[in-house]
């Protein structure tokens, strides 16, 4: 029996409290102005649930563009996330598509949180929010003639919990994932919302992630972002994301795996007024020109999107004093191409 199933009763009892913690530090945001390009909107029906989405398409879209799938946090809409995180200007500059997925009316009952946070045991390759997001991703690939080897998922808060599920259930779809203020595969809220409680051994989560990959298993590159003063999702959970994926990837790479210690560590300060200092830890495979894993620790930052819009309307959702998570994630993604066994670096 999976850990998430054994703890199901306790999880459900804590849902109201835990989502309240996330909501208190990740309120809705709206940022302006719009970037040149068009916004396509649409719906996707899965069973009795109808999800919505927005897609930013640059004016000058190249043939076979890349696709970044952005997954918002609790009590936030796709539009609010799009306006706040400043991915669109980067997409316009570099010519890639951004799909901002949104929930269904049912998700209003859980404060727009994704089920990867609340009930990860109900998620799989064929069920739950993960399966629906994957289906919306495939529609975008087809519609915009996306290069299928350049599809990436990036999540914030509850969206980051969902993103770790996508990385394991759909390694044949996503070349790499980005996890901002989230938790390891299948961890869920218990122990990783509010006070940190080491409820699940990392080794167990790593093995579960590999099992979830099934016949599509491959080395998954992951970039993580986390504020070390986050009161909602403990910083330890952000570190566990990277360690879980290091162990999962190493189950495929043995005996020559990714070392436990970073292969490089860099310190910096965000180039903005009163910018946060940060630390970048990178883990790289032998003979690889790209990082396999990377963790950005933003010092003294709480539960915010790092380096987002400075618009006053975004003040409760983003921390513009941090380094740009949008730029860093795209820089990580842009060199990675999915292969059947892992990735190649370009």
């Amino acid at each position: 029996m999976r850990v998430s199933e054994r703890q199901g009763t306790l999880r459900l009892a804590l849902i109201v409290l835990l989502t309240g913690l996330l909501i208190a530090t990740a309120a809705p945001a709206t940022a302006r102005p719009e970037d040149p390009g068009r916004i396509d909107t649409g719906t996707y029906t899965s069973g009795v649930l109808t999800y919505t989405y927005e897609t930013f398409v640059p004016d000058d879209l190249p043939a076979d563009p890349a696709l970044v799938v952005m997954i918002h946090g609790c009590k936030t809409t796709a539009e609010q996330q799009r306006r706040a995180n400043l991915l669109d200007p980067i997409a316009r500059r570099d010519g890639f598509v951004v799909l901002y997925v949104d929930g269904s009316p049912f998700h209003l009952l859980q404060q727009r949180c994704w089920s990867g946070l609340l009930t990860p045991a109900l998620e799989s390759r064929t069920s739950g929010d993960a399966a629906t997001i994957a289906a919306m991703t495939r529609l975008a690939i087809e519609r915009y003639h996306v290069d299928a080897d350049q599809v990436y998922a990036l999540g914030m808060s509850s969206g980051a919990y969902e993103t770790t599920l996508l990385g394991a259930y759909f390694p044949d779809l996503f070349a790499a994932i980005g996890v901002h203020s989230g938790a390891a595969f299948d961890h869920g809220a218990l122990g990783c919302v509010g006070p940190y409680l080491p409820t699940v051994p990392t080794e167990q989560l790593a093995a579960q992630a590999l099992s979830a990959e099934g016949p599509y298993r491959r080395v998954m590159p992951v970039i993580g972002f986390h504020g070390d003063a986050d009161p909602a999702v403990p910083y330890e959970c952000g570190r566990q994301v990277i360690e879980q994926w290091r162990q999962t990837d190493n189950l495929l790479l043995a005996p020559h795996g990714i070392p436990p210690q970073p292969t490089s560590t860099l310190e910096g300060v965000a180039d903005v007024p009163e910018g946060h200092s940060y630390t970048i830890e990178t883990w790289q495979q032998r003979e690889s020109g790209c990082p396999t894993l990377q963790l950005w620790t933003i010092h003294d930052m709480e539960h915010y999107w790092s380096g987002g819009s400075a618009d006053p309307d975004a003040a409760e959702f983003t921390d513009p004093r941090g380094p740009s998570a949008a730029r860093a994630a795209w820089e990580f993604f842009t060199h990675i191409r999915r292969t059947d066994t892992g990735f190649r670096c370009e």
Side-chain angles (χ1 to χ4, degrees):
M1 183 183 293
R2 291 164 58 182
V3 168
S4 53
E5 294 171 330
R6 293 200 305 266
Q7 297 174 337
T9 301
L10 183 56
R11 286 182 191 275
L12 293 174
L14 293 176
I15 281 176
V16 174
L17 172 63
L18 297 178
T19 55
L21 287 170
L22 287 172
I23 292 160
T25 55
T30 53
R32 299 176 179 84
E34 295 281 1
D35 285 292
R38 75 176 190 270
I39 304 298
D40 293 339
T41 61
T43 62
Y44 182 85
T45 299
S46 176
V48 298
L49 301 179
T50 298
Y51 294 68
T52 62
Y53 58 85
E54 295 190 359
T55 310
F56 176 77
V57 185
D59 287 337
D60 188 16
L61 188 67
D64 302 319
L67 170 66
V68 175
V69 180
M70 181 71 225
I71 308 164
H72 65 69
C74 292
K75 208 175 179 182
T76 310
T77 67
E79 180 183 8
Q80 290 164 343
Q81 184 73 55
R82 182 178 63 78
R83 291 179 179 275
N85 67 8
L86 302 183
L87 262 174
D88 290 0
I90 303 169
R92 176 170 58 87
R93 182 194 68 194
D94 289 352
F96 62 92
V97 177
V98 188
L99 171 64
Y100 297 90
V101 296
D102 216 339
S104 68
F106 167 79
H107 290 81
L108 295 175
L109 301 177
Q110 54 191 42
Q111 303 291 342
R112 296 188 183 276
C113 297
W114 298 96
S115 296
L117 168 71
L118 303 175
T119 53
L122 301 181
E123 300 282 293
S124 75
R125 190 172 172 90
T126 58
S127 64
D129 293 337
T132 303
I133 292 170
M136 289 191 281
T137 300
R138 293 190 185 99
L139 286 177
I141 292 171
E142 181 179 0
R143 180 173 186 178
Y144 303 108
H145 307 288
V146 166
D147 181 348
D149 294 335
Q150 296 186 72
V151 180
Y152 315 99
L154 176 61
M156 169 65 192
S157 191
S158 79
Y161 285 73
E162 197 68 41
T163 299
T164 57
L165 297 178
L166 292 172
Y169 288 127
F170 298 97
D172 55 326
L173 182 60
F174 297 102
I177 60 172
V179 180
H180 197 313
S181 307
F185 170 79
D186 202 37
H187 194 294
L190 185 64
C192 273
V193 174
Y196 174 61
L197 298 172
T199 56
V200 188
T202 304
E203 295 81 3
Q204 184 169 341
L205 296 175
Q208 288 177 195
L210 185 67
S211 177
E213 291 188 62
Y216 308 102
R217 57 185 57 180
R218 48 173 282 269
V219 173
M220 176 62 68
V222 180
I223 183 170
F225 304 89
H226 219 108
D228 62 10
D230 191 332
V233 179
Y235 172 65
E236 292 89 345
C237 295
R239 294 205 67 90
Q240 189 182 35
V241 170
I242 299 301
E243 178 59 16
Q244 174 255 296
W245 282 104
R246 187 188 72 84
Q247 293 187 27
T248 300
D249 288 344
N250 275 353
L251 291 172
L252 296 171
L253 291 170
H256 302 296
I258 304 165
Q261 299 302 318
T263 49
S264 68
T265 301
L266 297 174
E267 306 285 345
V269 178
D271 188 19
V272 294
E274 301 180 354
H276 287 298
S277 61
Y278 58 87
T279 302
I280 309 170
E281 296 169 90
T282 299
W283 289 258
Q284 195 158 325
Q285 294 172 241
R286 297 180 182 181
E287 301 178 357
S288 173
C290 295
T292 305
L293 304 167
Q294 193 169 83
L295 176 63
W296 289 60
T297 299
I298 301 91
H299 300 297
D300 300 318
M301 189 181 78
E302 298 187 4
H303 194 68
Y304 300 104
W305 177 268
S306 181
S309 172
D311 189 287
D313 288 340
E316 294 185 69
F317 183 70
T318 68
D319 189 341
R321 296 173 300 164
S324 171
R327 284 200 300 268
W330 175 242
E331 177 62 25
F332 182 86
F333 292 155
T334 191
H335 300 292
I336 292 172
R337 304 292 184 273
R338 181 180 56 83
T339 67
D340 289 342
T341 59
F343 66 97
R344 68 178 186 275
C345 183
E346 294 190 359

